[in-house]
Amino acid sequence: MGPVRAINLNGFGGPEVMEWSGAPDPAPGHGEVLIDVAAAGVNRADLLQRRGFYAPPPGTTSVPGLECSGVIAAVGEGVREWSVGDRVCALLSGGGYAEQVVVPAGQVLPVPDGLDLAAAAGLPEVAATVWSNLVMTAGLHSGQLLLIHGGGSGIGTHAIQVAVQLGARVAVTAGSAAKLARCAELGANVLINYREHDFVDLVRAEQGLGGPGADIILDNMGAAYLGRNVAALALDGQIVVIGMQGGVSAELNLGELMGKRGTVRAIKLRDRPATGRGSKADIIAEVRAHVWPLLEAGAIVPVIHAEVPVTEAGRAHELLDEHETFGKVILRIGNDGTS
């Protein structure tokens, strides 16, 4: 193998700042594995990083990419659970848009039976985000009403399926009838076109376990939706903020929130520690135990909108911003491990 190549950022700005060029050869340290990357998932955080609004954690590579799949090329000292040649996918703090990446062994998952490497590349970030926020934090369970903003996103399409498997009812917002129809195919019950209707009115017309409204709201908008999310809550409801597409600062009516006995949580996955309490390793272990069997049984399926060569990473980023995109966009980087 020649010198490693990666997507390097030549400044901050539009897709044109991404450059496929040389990068330092990574080597696994204690407790780490080296992956020959086959594919990487594209996430909205990558777009924010490219624009200069989402810096990697200290000590993390500036190469974008929060998840990947591939084949283990080397294992560091102290690694027992993985071997060279294993087909895996991994949750990363960065570095997925590259031919090779080093990752702590506790953030690695086997490729689910029946899936190819490209599809597996889009799983770790969404699965870890959804399970850690909806189940480990908010305690989603059977009979509850879950509202998902952005039902057609990678997070949304996965969250719908997880919630259905847990026995929850699911309401989603999306910007077109076509997207809502596809959300319904995945199991969503309440379909809200945010361009035509106020989601507060439609969600309050539904019954959560705490009364009218949503028991849990998974929100990717942040400030723009904060007040309306509180209005849409059932008693004892929870708002879990995982994105800030609608801004970072908003006024909160504490009286209304107290009247609902409500909770607002804002949670970031990327900065969690690799090990210890609340770590990425803990989340990955939970995902492997609870989500992976559902993937292998076909009860949950990856939803892939497009696969794009890494040399066209700019086009992949543009796709994520297009209204027609439904599910994940995947960057094809290396060998798929089948030859």
Side-chain angles (χ1 to χ4, degrees):
M1 183 173 181
V4 171
R5 292 170 296 176
I7 290 291
N8 295 295
L9 299 181
N10 182 23
F12 298 118
E16 70 279 356
V17 304
M18 293 189 292
E19 182 180 87
W20 183 239
S21 55
D25 287 355
H30 187 277
E32 297 177 331
V33 302
L34 175 68
I35 299 174
D36 283 336
V37 178
V42 179
N43 291 281
R44 195 158 292 278
D46 304 338
L47 279 65
L48 291 173
Q49 180 179 332
R50 189 201 75 218
R51 294 168 181 152
F53 300 132
Y54 194 53
T60 301
T61 175
S62 61
V63 173
L66 300 179
E67 59 188 343
C68 74
S69 64
V71 177
I72 292 182
V75 298
E77 183 180 351
V79 175
R80 301 285 181 266
E81 64 269 38
W82 302 108
S83 301
V84 172
D86 287 346
R87 299 172 74 249
V88 296
C89 53
L91 178 69
L92 311 171
S93 296
Y97 292 14
E99 291 178 322
Q100 289 189 323
V101 67
V102 166
V103 58
Q107 293 168 214
V108 179
L109 290 155
V111 172
D113 291 343
L115 292 187
D116 63 21
L117 282 171
L123 286 173
E125 175 74 11
V126 296
T129 297
V130 169
W131 193 263
S132 65
N133 283 287
L134 290 185
V135 181
M136 297 173 72
T137 297
L140 179 67
H141 59 267
S142 179
Q144 288 187 308
L145 177 62
L146 168 67
L147 170 61
I148 302 168
H149 290 303
S153 67
I155 293 287
T157 56
H158 185 81
I160 292 168
Q161 296 178 82
V162 168
V164 168
Q165 291 301 311
L166 292 173
R169 294 173 57 238
V170 181
V172 296
T173 63
S176 72
K179 279 191 175 184
L180 290 171
R182 295 189 66 182
C183 289
E185 291 172 0
L186 294 174
N189 311 102
V190 182
L191 310 175
I192 304 167
N193 187 328
Y194 65 78
R195 299 180 188 278
E196 299 177 356
H197 302 286
D198 185 346
F199 71 82
V200 175
D201 293 338
L202 295 184
V203 172
R204 292 290 297 171
E206 301 291 328
Q207 192 78 3
L209 291 183
D215 297 296
I216 301 173
I217 299 176
L218 187 64
D219 176 53
N220 62 352
M221 292 300 293
Y225 276 13
L226 181 59
R228 293 163 70 201
N229 280 338
V230 172
L233 279 181
L235 284 177
D236 298 309
Q238 301 179 69
I239 300 167
V240 184
V241 181
I242 59 169
M244 297 176 289
Q245 294 179 40
V248 300
S249 180
E251 185 172 299
L252 175 62
N253 185 330
L254 290 173
E256 186 175 11
L257 185 66
M258 290 175 71
K260 297 286 184 74
R261 301 193 298 263
T263 303
V264 179
R265 302 172 184 266
I267 302 176
K268 190 177 180 183
L269 177 62
R270 190 178 194 180
D271 289 342
R272 285 180 183 255
T275 59
R277 185 172 179 268
S279 66
K280 293 175 184 174
D282 282 353
I283 294 168
I284 290 299
E286 285 268 320
V287 165
R288 185 170 182 177
H290 299 286
V291 180
W292 251 230
L294 296 171
L295 283 158
E296 292 177 339
I300 295 175
V301 297
V303 180
I304 308 297
H305 178 82
E307 297 178 16
V308 179
V310 70
T311 52
E312 300 175 25
R315 183 164 70 89
H317 277 211
E318 289 169 348
L319 281 172
L320 212 61
D321 272 336
E322 292 181 358
H323 296 308
E324 295 78 17
T325 300
F326 188 86
K328 295 286 292 191
V329 176
I330 303 297
L331 285 180
R332 284 273 195 176
I333 295 173
N335 192 292
D336 65 4
T338 62
S339 59

